[in-house]
Amino acid sequence: MTPAMMTEEQLACRCVSVEGKEDDRTVENVVSEAQDSPASPARTQKSGDSESSEMDDETIQNLQGPSVDLEMESTEDEEMACTEEDLPSQPKKTLILPAKVQQRGNRDAADIVEERPKETPGTSDTISSPCPHYLMTTRELQLYWKAEKSKRKPVRLVFDIQSTRIAEDFLSKFVLYKIVIIKTGSYDGSKVFIERRYSDFEKLHKNLLKDFKEEMEDIMFPKKVLMGNMIPEIINKRILMLNDYLRELYAIKYIRKSKKFMDFFINPELEEGYSCLRGGQYDKALEIFQNIVYLQEKIASHFPTVMIPSLCALLVCYKDLDEIEKAYEVGTKVVPLIEKHPGHKYYVPLLDTMISLAYKLEKDFVSLQKQLSKGENMMRRGLEITMFTLKEMVVQECTS
């Protein structure tokens, strides 16, 4: 039956049966074509049937577009199935075909088929290469970026004189400069400050010139003002100059790692802390030594053993205040610093105190006993038989 002889319902069924083809003609277009074409003359039943079959084949061919070789398609599917069975370790390919691709033959579809990335057989998720960001959890991504930032930003110290105050002793008045020490390059949760007067800066400058005269040729130190040193304009000008002075000193590697530079920031507080400890003011001494430890972590990070006396003094304060757990926690920070130095004067007293604390807290102390025996044997070889407790050692620091 030709398109001209079909009704609208038959043509609609014919268009629906020819599904997924590239021809975009609608039922209305086919009907209009059928109305415009001239009616064919009547023929015999036999010739009519043959012509109808020829027209049907031609119409279907035109509507279908490019022919599809079904045998070739089935052969390619069988070859793909065999390939997947031969490689069981390789994941199956997932073909993602858009709607238009499904309407075309294999020749057109082969050019635009999207495949997922191939995985090498035998690989696993735990590989040495970093995990892509979109596969990380929130916590993993935070740790990753924290590590990246710490690599890119070197740790530096910033000295900032933020304020001043007028103090006086029995003889005169003087200005105290509040110096805030901040560690850059990472989050600094322990910001500490110290107070120094102009004479302290002057003493530091003279001491450093003895060892680093050539390095300090271009460093300007603010001159001393005999009259009017309490005027706000003079104080503000001196603040700027002292900030620059500390920054330039820290920029010189040999100066910032020198003992004289560290002593400027730590020694006055050490003297005050030991004085309070010797007088039995453990609460006040505890606060001072906490700040001293924070200072030493910033200033003396290249020389960690310098923190041993301060940490031992902090341990004694906690112990005398009956805070045994905190005392033991501080001791666990000191042991790694001192275990490689069995000849250190704090080695035996510290380990003896730690064993006592561990026994009270029902913690393991066998390893501490082994380290203590090692230190005692070395002391006997050096003929240092006198044994002091940790508190006695700390008190000796007060008077030394």
Side-chain angles (χ1 to χ4, degrees):
M1 183 181 295
T2 62
M5 300 173 63
M6 295 181 183
T7 63
E8 292 184 3
E9 295 180 355
Q10 291 174 340
L11 288 174
C13 294
R14 175 65 58 85
C15 292
V16 171
S17 63
V18 185
E19 183 180 1
K21 303 304 182 292
E22 198 174 18
D23 197 342
D24 295 334
R25 290 181 295 173
T26 61
V27 177
E28 289 77 3
N29 293 335
V30 177
V31 172
S32 62
E33 290 177 6
Q35 292 176 354
D36 294 338
S37 63
S40 58
R43 297 182 181 180
T44 60
Q45 184 69 22
K46 183 175 181 180
S47 62
D49 293 340
S50 61
E51 183 180 357
S52 176
S53 63
E54 291 176 0
M55 288 298 295
D56 291 343
D57 295 339
E58 183 179 358
T59 304
I60 294 172
Q61 181 68 22
N62 292 333
L63 292 174
Q64 286 182 348
S67 62
V68 178
D69 192 352
L70 298 178
E71 294 181 358
M72 182 180 296
E73 180 178 1
S74 61
T75 303
E76 290 178 356
D77 292 340
E78 292 176 359
E79 291 178 355
M80 182 180 295
C82 295
T83 304
E84 294 177 355
E85 292 177 358
D86 293 340
L87 298 174
S89 60
Q90 184 175 0
K92 294 183 178 181
K93 299 179 180 179
T94 302
L95 303 180
I96 305 173
L97 297 179
K100 290 187 178 181
V101 176
Q102 295 178 359
Q103 296 173 2
R104 298 181 183 179
N106 289 345
R107 294 180 182 178
D108 297 332
D111 296 334
I112 53 176
V113 170
E114 297 179 2
E115 296 184 2
R116 292 184 178 179
K118 296 182 180 180
E119 298 180 1
T120 306
T123 57
S124 61
D125 296 336
T126 57
I127 55 178
S128 58
S129 59
C131 182
H133 296 169
Y134 63 88
L135 295 179
M136 291 183 180
T137 62
T138 303
R139 178 60 178 167
E140 291 174 345
L141 196 59
Q142 290 175 348
L143 294 175
Y144 171 79
W145 283 116
K146 183 177 180 181
E148 287 295 319
K149 290 180 180 179
S150 63
K151 290 179 182 178
R152 297 175 185 176
K153 293 184 178 180
V155 177
R156 294 286 186 270
L157 292 181
V158 175
F159 305 97
D160 185 20
I161 301 177
Q162 296 184 348
S163 61
T164 60
R165 68 183 180 92
I166 306 296
E168 61 178 322
D169 53 15
F170 297 102
L171 300 177
S172 62
K173 293 183 179 181
F174 53 89
V175 180
L176 282 175
Y177 299 88
K178 182 180 178 180
I179 308 171
V180 179
I181 303 170
I182 305 171
K183 185 194 301 183
T184 63
S186 61
Y187 174 72
D188 188 0
S190 57
K191 297 179 182 179
V192 294
F193 69 90
I194 59 175
E195 288 184 330
R196 297 292 182 268
R197 54 190 297 182
Y198 176 83
S199 59
D200 296 324
F201 285 96
E202 188 178 25
K203 183 179 178 181
L204 170 66
H205 186 70
K206 292 179 179 179
N207 289 334
L208 291 177
L209 282 175
K210 296 177 182 178
D211 299 330
F212 307 101
K213 187 174 182 179
E214 294 182 359
E215 290 82 354
M216 297 176 61
E217 287 180 350
D218 298 329
I219 296 179
M220 299 296 296
F221 183 76
K223 296 181 180 180
K224 191 171 184 178
V225 178
L226 298 177
M227 300 294 293
N229 57 345
M230 300 293 178
I231 300 175
E233 290 78 6
I234 300 296
I235 294 175
N236 292 333
K237 183 179 180 181
R238 183 171 283 181
I239 287 175
L240 297 176
M241 297 182 69
L242 290 176
N243 273 330
D244 293 338
Y245 175 73
L246 290 176
R247 178 178 53 81
E248 292 175 354
L249 287 181
Y250 185 80
I252 302 175
K253 179 180 179 181
Y254 297 104
I255 293 180
R256 70 170 177 261
K257 291 188 176 183
S258 65
K259 187 177 183 302
K260 293 179 179 180
F261 184 78
M262 293 187 293
D263 290 344
F264 169 78
F265 294 94
I266 298 171
N267 274 4
E269 280 67 26
L270 280 176
E271 294 176 0
E272 183 182 3
Y274 283 128
S275 177
C276 294
L277 195 149
R278 184 175 52 195
Q281 302 177 7
Y282 298 114
D283 290 326
K284 187 176 181 180
L286 178 65
E287 182 181 356
I288 294 173
F289 279 108
Q290 284 177 338
N291 289 331
I292 290 173
V293 171
Y294 294 148
L295 278 170
Q296 290 175 333
E297 288 177 349
K298 300 173 187 292
I299 302 294
S301 58
H302 61 284
F303 189 30
T305 55
V306 77
M307 300 173 58
I308 293 175
S310 303
L311 287 170
C312 289
L314 189 61
L315 188 154
V316 170
C317 291
Y318 277 124
K319 185 181 177 182
D320 288 348
L321 292 172
D322 293 330
E323 298 186 24
I324 307 300
E325 292 185 357
K326 291 184 177 180
Y328 182 82
E329 183 181 353
V330 173
T332 56
K333 297 179 181 179
V334 190
V335 171
L337 299 177
I338 205 173
E339 62 183 358
K340 295 182 180 180
H341 307 279
H344 198 284
K345 64 180 182 179
Y346 277 93
Y347 188 90
V348 173
L350 172 66
L351 291 176
D352 185 63
T353 303
M354 286 295 293
I355 291 172
S356 175
L357 294 175
Y359 181 78
K360 292 180 180 180
L361 296 173
E362 298 181 354
K363 297 182 180 293
D364 181 30
F365 53 84
V366 176
S367 59
L368 296 173
Q369 286 181 333
K370 293 180 180 179
Q371 293 178 348
L372 177 60
S373 300
K374 182 179 179 181
E376 290 176 344
N377 293 334
M378 183 166 291
M379 289 181 64
R380 293 189 184 96
R381 292 176 186 175
L383 300 178
E384 296 181 8
I385 308 300
T386 306
M387 298 289 184
F388 295 99
T389 63
L390 186 62
K391 186 174 182 178
E392 290 173 343
M393 292 294 301
V394 172
V395 171
Q396 286 182 7
E397 293 285 348
C398 299
T399 57
S400 59

